[in-house]
Amino acid sequence: MNKTAALKFPRLTTSSKKRALKRITVNLTSDEAQNLEKYCEQTGKLAIDVIREFIQALP
């Protein structure tokens, strides 16, 4: 990374603060997928955001 980028974006140089991501696959029935798509269209949200919000709301 060049010095200019490091100065403009100091967070890019600190690997200790990176969020660990884990990829999962969710199998949905056709009805479930349609409900998710409809909800996303109605709210203007992406499916990943809808799923993430539901997970974050879990106790």
Side-chain angles (χ1 to χ4, degrees), residues 11-55:
R11 290 180 291 162
L12 294 178
T13 61
T14 58
S15 61
S16 63
K17 292 189 178 184
K18 286 185 180 178
R19 290 175 60 182
L21 298 178
K22 188 169 193 172
R23 183 176 301 269
I24 63 169
T25 301
V26 178
N27 295 321
L28 301 174
T29 65
S30 295
D31 288 342
E32 292 168 338
Q34 283 182 326
N35 286 342
L36 179 58
E37 288 176 17
K38 187 187 296 184
Y39 183 81
C40 290
E41 288 175 9
Q42 291 172 349
T43 61
K45 296 179 182 181
L46 298 175
I48 186 63
D49 294 331
V50 171
I51 294 167
R52 189 173 283 128
E53 287 173 8
F54 279 119
I55 291 171

